[in-house]
Amino acid sequence: GGTNAEQPQAAVGPDGRAGQIDRSSIAGAISIELPAELASLVLEGPEGGLAGEFAVEGLDRPAHYAARLVYQGEPYGVLLVHAGEDGPMDGAALAAIAQILGARFVTVQLHQEEARQARSASERLAWITRLGEELSGGLQTEEMIPKIVGVVLELVGAQVANVLLKRGDRFESISEFGMPISVANDLRMAGGTTLLADHVLESGETLLVVDPAADERVDFSRLTSHRVENLLCVPLMTRERRLGVLLVVNSPADPPFPVEARSAMPTLAGVASQALENSILLGEAVQMKIAQKIQQSLLPDDPPRRAGFELAGWSKACDATGGDYYDFVELDEHRIGIMIGDVSGHGLSTGLVMAM
């Protein structure tokens, strides 16, 4: 606009020396290194810019005017302009343009970042909703795990994963998706004594390994049958229980496990953990009900009748099942034996011992 120059053709944003160049003639941005004179301009000024001839890698011809781009007092780039054929450039006008563009570029970037975050949030919600729908309907644990792994593998673009549930002092694998339980047992933290899965479950923090050769936190030396190029291990836990871990390996993305996918993992793991806990609680309730019926069936329905005696027995466990036991044994027509027993403790395990 009234500058006797061609349209500004390049904007460069340095990180001290190197920066990003963006032109309408190329699709996207490329990294370049600024000449020392332009790097000094960006960092120190002058405010009015510089006239001259500047050869910049990535430009097909030299620029003849340079002005730094500033936002809220902080320099972040440089505006390069090629001279036209109509005479000298109006330096004051180009400085004003640079001032306007300095704010405009940042505004556009902020809007783009807000749009990206909104899309990312929408995508996370879609994945969470999908997993919630997949796990609805009162599924058993064995039915849930393939659905959990399937959604996660699709999210991160990997092909190998496993859900490892903690049972007592060891982990168990209900379904293997290209990764046997031996891989998890061979993955140790540095020092070789603590399982990687145990570390993640106890700390409650996700562990990402992008380059096993350079990551000193994890010991990969025991792995012989499977190659692990990268991994993501996420704890599966609720407020009441530490259930296990989700282990995903060999993401083909560059870099592995994109930020957008990783940001959705904690919430997905929370949904999966709650569904798994509900399934486990339901299974325990069913087992308890069965144990209760077995225990009650072992107690006498009606005591024997004898002239001159009125016999009765009653037992009420503090939980669904307990360790109390009694019975009447008719020894002969003149004698009745009475058995009374009590297994230490209470609950399912005690009830099962009593049934023995």
Side-chain angles (χ1 to χ4, degrees), residues 5 11 50 84 104 108 124 143 151 158 167 173 178 221 231 235 252 255 258 263 268 284 286-288 291 334 342 349:
L50 294 175
R104 181 59 179 166
V108 171
R124 287 198 301 270
E143 299 172 302
V151 170
R167 302 285 174 80
S173 173
S221 63
L231 68 82
S263 64
L268 287 177
E284 290 176 349
V286 171
Q287 293 176 358
M288 189 70 75
H334 301 294
D342 183 14
S349 58

Side-chain angles (χ1 to χ4, degrees), residues 1 4 16-17 35 54 66 74 109-110 144 152 155 178 185-187 252 260 267 272-273 308 323:
N4 293 326
R17 294 186 310 161
F54 309 103
E74 294 293 330
Q109 290 173 350
L110 291 175
M144 287 185 175
V152 170
L155 170 63
N185 290 333
D186 288 338
L187 289 171
E260 292 78 8
T267 306
S273 299

Side-chain angles (χ1 to χ4, degrees), residues 11-21 30-35 38-43 69 75-78:
V12 181
D15 58 1
R17 294 186 310 161
Q20 296 291 320
I21 178 171
I30 59 175
S31 293
I32 67 170
E33 184 172 331
L34 289 175
L38 293 182
S40 176
L41 166 67
V42 173
L43 296 175
L69 301 173
Y76 71 89
V78 61

